[in-house]
Amino acid sequence: MGWNMKLPGFIDSHMHYLGLGYTSSNVDLTKANSIVEIIALLKEELPKPVLIGRGWNQENLLEKRMLNKEDLNAVSRDIPIIMTRVCGHVLTANDKMLELAGITKDTIQVDGGTFNYDTGVFSENALSLILSSLSKPTTMDLENYLQLADKILLKNGITSVASDDFCIFNIPFEDVIAVINKMVAEDKIHVNITEQVNLPLNELKRFIEKGFVNKEFKKFKMGPLKILADGSLGGKTAYLNKPYEDDPSNRGIYTYSDDELFELIHLANSNGMDVVIHAIGDASVDQVLKCLIKSIEQTKRFKHHHAIIHAQLATHKQIKLMKKYHIGAIIQPIFLNSDIKIIESRIGERMNESYLFKTMVDEGLNVGFSTDSPIEPINPFYNIYSAITRKSIKEPDLKAFLVEEGCDLETALKCYTINNLPYIKRKEMPLGDYIVIDKNIYDINSKSLLNISILETYIDNELVYKKAL
Ligand SMILES: [Zn+2]
């Protein structure tokens, strides 16, 4: 028998519960090393009525280019195919899918997004042109996704999450609430879920009018409004103050004008709802801070738990401003896993003022850890490893990134538990939620973090996962 150790259950403060279940049931391209390999992998999946997958990343592909529609046409011209990039902000569709979605050379571009008919590549708001024409999942599908996600979370020692689930499928938010509540009532899912309410303005109004603000069900609560303000660094859609180093005509994408963003924030904030906003680029963080601070000052609602999600390119100055207005940071050290090798090419010298995670802690922001799973692996020990070592797990030979911005184990554990409490709308750590691991976490080197096994997971003192021996 080795060392067995009890730890509090982990809290992941930004992930996609339904998305994790859905993705886990789709084709996984994260390990593909070339487009040739992707095509072969997809052909193996045939025959199928529709082929959906996720996880390609041109940086990892031998060809060093985006996946395009001809690649997917080579898999099949008869069935619709959609392959989403690892970031979730870019996708490629084949001709059959374009036809199904009614996209032609003459289709008009949408605000806050772009698509290219010739390459079949869609980004940001333009994703909906494709995704909205997929057939909707049945209740049975949703139940399967939820159960699959719950299993994955428990196996990884996650007992509570803040999760963004309302806009992954084109279905009313009430349906998502109903199916989650049903699964909880039937004891088929166990993890505590606080919803990061991701809704467009009109739907948010309906959500408020119907009395859903801060509503709590058993194990499932309505949390903050979730807003997406820009894209991703990998996809070159994060909104920057100066152009991308490797794309001098491009500064990325913002999703809303200042007025639109303020309207959304203010509607939530003045109805007593916190706001958490995805912002990666420095220009996006500027825009978010401007609108958020304006709303905080107008409502005088200073005891809030608003936060910026990601904030990788937040500068020292922006971090100070966040502190002044009590705006937290929900960050993902594990993003270094994929980002280390692109940071310099994307932003050049600006990289020296990026991923300032220790600075955020030292400046006194409420820093919470999360994985944005299924974007990156849900394993909390991988995330802690990245936070401490500032290294990529999948590319161990790459140099650690700004190693002085790494934190110690104690801080990492705090960011994964206590600091995340406000983001799941709890005041105290739930003592009945804990895990048993196979090593003494305080007495191992950082590399061994990657080999920790979770033996048991408990929620409300009930054993909900036990590792098969
Ligand atoms: Zn996310």
Side-chain angles (χ1 to χ4, degrees):
M1 282 295 282
W3 245 94
N4 284 3
M5 175 177 208
K6 187 176 152 183
L7 282 180
F10 288 103
I11 302 169
D12 192 309
S13 54
H14 175 64
M15 53 86 62
H16 304 261
Y17 195 101
L18 258 182
L20 175 63
Y22 172 69
T23 307
S24 306
S25 58
N26 286 338
V27 188
D28 178 14
L29 300 181
T30 49
K31 295 199 173 69
N33 295 312
S34 70
I35 288 174
V36 174
E37 195 183 326
I38 290 178
I39 293 172
L41 211 122
L42 295 179
K43 278 186 176 166
E44 271 173 37
E45 297 283 325
L46 299 175
K48 256 190 187 165
V50 52
L51 207 46
I52 299 173
R54 178 171 190 151
W56 61 270
N57 179 353
Q58 73 274 21
E59 305 295 335
N60 297 342
L61 301 175
L62 197 67
E63 296 85 352
K64 295 283 170 210
R65 64 165 175 85
M66 309 269 261
L67 199 61
N68 65 40
K69 77 172 179 187
E70 291 309 331
D71 302 325
L72 301 183
N73 287 341
V75 176
S76 172
R77 289 184 177 272
D78 304 321
I79 62 156
I81 305 180
I82 305 174
M83 292 295 139
T84 306
R85 195 181 176 280
V86 64
C87 61
H89 294 256
V90 175
L91 69 74
T92 307
N94 70 343
D95 272 323
K96 188 69 191 175
M97 186 64 228
L98 295 178
E99 184 193 316
L100 188 76
I103 309 282
T104 66
K105 269 195 165 3
D106 305 319
T107 305
I108 299 164
Q109 295 285 342
V110 293
D111 279 348
T114 54
F115 70 90
N116 182 325
Y117 178 79
D118 296 320
T119 62
V121 176
F122 291 68
S123 71
E124 303 306 328
N125 284 354
L127 298 189
S128 65
L129 292 174
I130 294 292
L131 300 178
S132 62
S133 57
L134 280 181
S135 60
K136 289 170 191 169
T138 62
T139 305
M140 183 73 103
D141 290 333
L142 295 175
E143 292 183 7
N144 287 336
Y145 300 152
L146 289 169
Q147 260 189 307
L148 186 53
D150 200 69
K151 280 210 176 81
I152 296 170
L153 291 166
L154 296 176
K155 195 177 159 193
N156 282 283
I158 315 282
T159 49
S160 296
V161 296
S163 177
D164 168 352
D165 307 287
F166 285 168
C167 78
I168 168 168
F169 302 115
N170 192 16
I171 51 178
F173 65 81
E174 291 96 330
D175 291 5
V176 178
I177 294 175
V179 70
I180 292 178
N181 281 335
K182 174 173 182 275
M183 297 296 276
V184 172
E186 292 173 1
D187 206 24
K188 286 182 178 155
I189 59 173
H190 308 88
V191 172
N192 302 293
I193 307 172
T194 300
E195 190 62 30
Q196 291 179 331
V197 179
N198 185 349
L199 292 173
L201 187 65
N202 281 338
E203 284 291 282
L204 176 63
K205 285 181 179 159
R206 206 163 64 77
F207 181 89
I208 294 169
E209 276 157 21
K210 292 187 99 180
F212 280 107
V213 172
N214 297 328
K215 197 163 174 139
E216 299 194 3
F217 306 95
K218 192 188 164 204
K219 284 196 179 184
F220 181 40
K221 309 177 186 179
M222 295 302 115
L225 173 67
K226 154 81 193 291
I227 300 173
L228 207 68
D230 72 344
S232 75
L233 197 61
K236 297 188 200 176
T237 46
Y239 179 39
L240 307 183
N241 277 322
K242 291 198 184 109
Y244 281 87
E245 205 75 10
D246 51 354
D247 193 357
S249 64
N250 178 18
R251 283 180 53 205
I253 285 176
Y254 54 90
T255 321
Y256 301 101
S257 69
D258 289 2
D259 288 346
E260 288 166 341
L261 183 61
F262 175 76
E263 191 180 5
L264 262 173
I265 291 173
H266 199 59
L267 179 62
N269 194 28
S270 49
N271 279 283
M273 205 174 166
D274 290 333
V275 183
V276 292
I277 308 176
H278 164 124
I280 291 182
D282 53 349
S284 186
V285 173
D286 273 340
Q287 189 196 27
V288 164
L289 287 176
K290 184 162 78 180
C291 298
L292 203 45
I293 290 170
K294 183 172 157 192
S295 177
I296 292 170
E297 285 185 331
Q298 283 188 18
T299 55
K300 308 236 179 307
R301 193 169 164 258
F302 296 108
K303 277 196 176 166
H304 59 74
H305 292 292
H306 303 316
I308 296 183
I309 302 177
H310 307 309
Q312 286 112 288
L313 302 192
T315 61
H316 287 99
K317 202 173 145 202
Q318 288 171 331
I319 291 169
K320 286 206 157 66
L321 201 55
M322 287 169 76
K323 166 66 185 166
K324 185 172 168 201
Y325 286 90
H326 187 57
I327 296 165
I330 295 176
I331 59 167
Q332 303 73 28
I334 189 69
F335 273 16
L336 287 168
N337 199 24
S338 298
D339 287 358
I340 282 189
K341 66 174 176 187
I342 58 152
I343 302 172
E344 186 167 13
S345 61
R346 293 283 187 277
I347 57 172
E349 282 203 340
R350 284 168 282 176
M351 72 173 181
N352 293 316
E353 199 175 5
S354 69
Y355 299 76
L356 301 175
F357 298 157
K358 182 158 189 294
T359 301
M360 290 177 183
V361 173
D362 291 346
E363 288 285 343
L365 298 193
N366 186 54
V367 175
F369 281 3
S370 68
T371 57
D372 206 6
S373 172
I375 305 287
E376 286 292 340
I378 192 79
N379 187 328
F381 299 110
Y382 286 12
N383 209 7
I384 291 172
Y385 171 85
S386 302
I388 294 172
T389 65
R390 306 277 291 183
K391 284 186 67 89
S392 170
I393 297 163
K394 55 187 181 192
E395 318 235 15
D397 297 337
L398 293 178
K399 213 170 108 226
F401 181 77
L402 294 188
V403 77
E404 62 276 18
E405 286 292 333
C407 68
D408 57 29
L409 176 66
E410 204 179 336
T411 306
L413 290 172
K414 196 169 160 241
C415 290
Y416 236 128
T417 51
I418 303 166
N419 287 9
N420 272 337
L421 289 174
Y423 304 134
I424 58 164
K425 298 190 9 191
R426 272 191 112 122
K427 293 215 162 59
E428 281 158 27
M429 284 299 289
L431 295 178
D433 297 1
Y434 60 92
I435 61 175
V436 179
I437 60 173
D438 68 345
K439 291 185 180 63
N440 178 356
I441 194 170
Y442 296 103
D443 192 31
I444 54 175
N445 61 27
S446 50
K447 250 209 135 152
S448 305
L449 283 168
L450 302 177
N451 302 318
I452 289 180
S453 269
I454 287 151
L455 304 176
E456 290 169 354
T457 302
Y458 292 81
I459 292 184
D460 289 333
N461 293 307
E462 183 198 341
L463 179 67
V464 284
Y465 165 77
K466 188 171 171 58
K467 188 183 177 188
L469 293 172

